[in-house]
C-alpha cells in the first residue's frame, strides 16, 4: 500500500474527521508522495460570478463520500499510489498576477520532485500558476481541456489576465504545446466566430460539444489519446464542461452540456494518458445549494486517481522529469 492513504472508513466512518480531500493526510513535503491534492482558492480572475474561492473547501467536504476501490478499472487507488492533501496554495485575493506567482511558487517544489499535482479551483485562471510549475519540471506539456469555453481571448476589458485568457497566456509563455493539446466540449453563445477560430489559429485542436456527441465518448477519448501521444499531459476539467443541470454551481454555466456519467465515462476512456497533473476548476458553492457540483468535482478527481493507479498497476512508467528524458520528448 502507498505510504499515505485515507483512514479505513469501516473503522472510522467517512463523516468523521478533518475535511482534507478523501480525509488524506495533510502533508507539506513531497517526500514519499506520488500525488498531491492542492486547493487553489482564487476567484477574482472570473468575468461573471465570483465565489469559486470556496470551491476547494466544498470539493473536500464532498470527497469524504468517495470509497477507495474503482469497480470499472478494478483498482484500489491507494494500493498503487501514495496520496496526500497538501493544503491550499497562498493567494492574494483581488490580485491575479501576484496570485499566479504565489501558486506557481507553492507548487514548484512538488512538481520538481515528480509529484503529480491535482488542483482544486478556484476559477480557471489558476491553471496558469499550475502550468508554470509543471512546465518547469517537465517542459511544455500537452493540455487536455474539458471545458465549454476555449479560454483563449487575448484580453478582457483591456486586461490580459483573467479566466478567459489563461490558455492563450500559457501558449505565449511556452508552457503548453498547442500541437499536442486539445479542447473538448465547446458550446454556447459566443461573441463571434473569432472566439473559437482564435483557439484553432493558436494551433489547438477543438472538439465542440456537438462534435463530441457525433464521435461518441469512446471516439472522443481516442481523439484525445491520439493528440497527446506519449507526451507529458495536464488535464484541466472546467466543471462547466458538464451541463448546469448536473453542475449548477459554476461561474459561467452553458446549457447543452454533458451528463455526469458521460463525463466520467470519457475520463475512464483516457486510461494510459501520461498525466503529470490535473485540475478541476470553477466550482462555485454559493450556486450549488444541494452540493451536486462539488460532489461531481470530487468524483472527477476520483476518476483521475483511478487512471493514475491503473497506470501504475499496469506497469507503465512514471513520466520522466525534464532532465531525465531524451531530447525531443
Ligand atoms: Mn474554463
Amino acid at each position: 500500500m502507498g505510504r499515505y492513504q485515507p483512514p479505513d472508513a469501516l473503522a472510522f466512518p467517512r463523516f468523521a474527521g478533518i475535511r482534507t480531500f478523501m480525509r488524506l493526510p495533510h502533508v507539506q513535503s513531497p517526500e514519499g508522495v506520488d500525488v498531491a491534492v492542492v486547493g487553489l482558492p482564487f476567484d477574482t480572475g472570473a468575468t461573471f460570478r465570483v465565489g469559486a474561492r470556496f470551491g476547494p473547501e466544498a470539493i473536500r467536504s464532498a470527497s469524504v463520500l468517495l470509497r477507495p476501490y474503482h469497480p470499472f478499472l478494478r483498482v484500489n487507488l491507494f494500493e498503487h499510489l501514495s496520496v496526500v492533501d497538501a493544503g491550499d496554495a497562498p493567494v492574494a485575493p483581488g490580485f491575479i498576477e501576484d496570485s499566479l506567482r504565489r501558486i506557481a511558487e507553492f507548487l514548484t517544489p512538488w512538481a520538481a520532485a515528480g509529484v503529480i499535482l491535482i488542483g482544486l479551483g478556484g476559477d480557471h485562471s489558476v491553471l496558469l500558476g499550475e502550468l508554470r510549475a509543471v512546465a518547469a519540471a517537465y517542459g511544455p506539456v500537452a493540455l487536455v481541456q474539458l471545458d465549454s469555453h476555449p479560454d483563449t481571448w487575448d484580453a478582457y476589458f483591456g486586461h490580459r489576465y483573467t479566466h478567459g485568457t489563461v490558455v492563450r497566456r500559457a501558449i505565449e509563455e511556452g508552457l503548453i504545446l498547442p500541437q499536442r493539446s486539445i479542447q473538448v466540449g465547446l458550446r454556447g453563445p459566443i461573441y463571434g466566430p473569432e472566439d473559437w477560430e482564435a483557439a484553432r489559429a493558436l494551433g489547438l485542436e477543438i472538439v465542440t460539444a456537438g462534435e463530441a456527441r457525433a464521435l461518441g465518448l469512446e471516439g472522443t477519448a481516442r481523439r484525445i489519446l491520439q493528440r497527446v501521444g506519449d507526451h507529458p499531459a495536464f488535464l484541466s476539467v472546467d466543471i462547466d464542461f458538464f451541463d448546469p443541470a448536473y453542475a449548477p454551481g459554476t461561474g459561467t454555466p452553458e446549457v447543452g452540456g454533458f451528463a455526469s456519467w458521460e463525463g466520467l465515462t470519457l475520463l475512464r476512456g483516457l486510461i494510459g494518458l501520461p498525466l503529470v497533473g490535473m485540475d478541476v476548476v470553477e466550482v462555485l458553492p454559493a450556486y450549488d445549494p444541494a452540493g451536486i457540483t462539488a460532489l461531481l468535482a470530487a468524483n472527477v478527481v476520483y476518476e483521475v486517481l483511478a487512471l493514475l493507479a491503473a497506470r501504475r498497476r499496469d506497469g507503465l512508467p512514471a513520466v520522466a522529469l525534464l532532465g531525465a528524458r531524451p531530447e525531443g520528448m
Side-chain angles (χ1 to χ4, degrees):
M1 296 298 278
R3 172 167 166 189
Y4 294 116
Q5 55 180 289
D8 181 355
L10 295 175
F12 185 62
R14 286 176 291 169
F15 49 80
I18 296 166
R19 289 301 195 255
T20 58
F21 189 83
M22 283 188 89
R23 303 189 307 163
L24 285 160
H26 178 206
V27 171
Q28 291 172 289
S29 146
E31 195 188 316
V33 178
D34 298 317
V35 182
V37 179
V38 183
L40 306 168
F42 181 79
D43 64 8
T44 41
T47 54
F48 196 63
R49 298 168 174 166
V50 291
R53 67 183 64 182
F54 297 108
E57 174 192 336
I59 299 167
R60 285 189 176 106
S61 196
S63 75
V64 301
L65 197 60
L66 299 168
R67 302 185 185 93
Y69 188 75
H70 194 292
F72 297 99
L73 296 177
R74 299 184 186 196
V75 68
N76 182 316
L77 312 184
F78 305 104
E79 193 181 327
H80 303 278
L81 297 174
S82 170
V83 189
V84 303
D85 188 324
D88 286 352
V91 298
F95 298 92
I96 185 166
E97 289 167 69
D98 189 14
S99 293
L100 296 177
R101 271 192 297 273
R102 289 167 190 242
I103 289 170
E105 195 180 328
F106 181 84
L107 297 177
T108 292
W110 294 87
V115 174
I116 296 171
L117 296 174
I118 295 185
L120 310 176
D123 73 52
H124 218 157
S125 67
V126 299
L127 174 63
L128 196 57
E130 296 171 279
L131 289 175
R132 285 176 184 165
V134 166
Y138 297 94
V141 293
L143 177 68
V144 177
Q145 183 182 351
L146 306 187
D147 200 330
S148 63
H149 315 100
D151 302 344
T152 48
W153 286 337
D154 184 40
Y156 186 68
F157 283 73
H159 292 279
R160 288 162 45 80
Y161 293 91
T162 77
H163 72 162
T165 59
V166 59
V167 174
R168 182 182 290 267
R169 293 292 93 81
I171 293 170
E172 288 170 353
E173 291 187 22
L175 309 177
I176 63 178
L177 283 181
Q179 66 270 26
R180 289 290 194 180
S181 298
I182 183 165
Q183 302 183 312
V184 178
L186 273 56
R187 64 181 187 274
I190 54 179
Y191 289 118
E194 62 277 8
D195 278 8
W196 291 359
E197 281 160 10
R200 287 206 180 91
L202 287 166
L204 299 162
E205 182 173 352
I206 283 177
V207 180
T208 65
E211 288 164 349
R213 287 198 182 279
L215 279 169
L217 297 172
E218 260 180 58
T220 303
R222 256 198 313 276
R223 279 282 278 278
I224 294 171
L225 291 169
Q226 274 166 10
R227 181 73 169 176
V228 172
D230 54 9
H231 203 81
F234 191 97
L235 170 69
S236 189
V237 181
D238 190 321
I239 205 72
D240 69 30
F241 171 80
F242 294 93
D243 193 274
Y246 299 86
T250 194
T252 45
E254 304 289 352
V255 300
F258 297 86
S260 304
W261 77 266
E262 291 174 318
L264 300 180
T265 304
L266 175 62
L267 289 170
R268 259 167 235 168
L270 300 182
I271 189 159
L273 194 70
L275 285 173
V276 296
M278 70 88 56
D279 65 17
V280 56
V281 298
E282 299 283 352
V283 172
L284 205 168
Y287 288 84
D288 192 31
I292 55 179
T293 313
L295 183 59
L296 178 54
N299 275 272
V300 165
V301 173
Y302 165 77
E303 291 296 333
V304 173
L305 284 171
L307 289 177
L308 295 170
R311 210 182 134 83
R312 282 280 167 97
R313 176 199 62 196
D314 298 344
L316 292 166
V319 180
L321 291 163
L322 197 54
R325 218 166 43 240
E327 237 167 88
M329 283 288 291

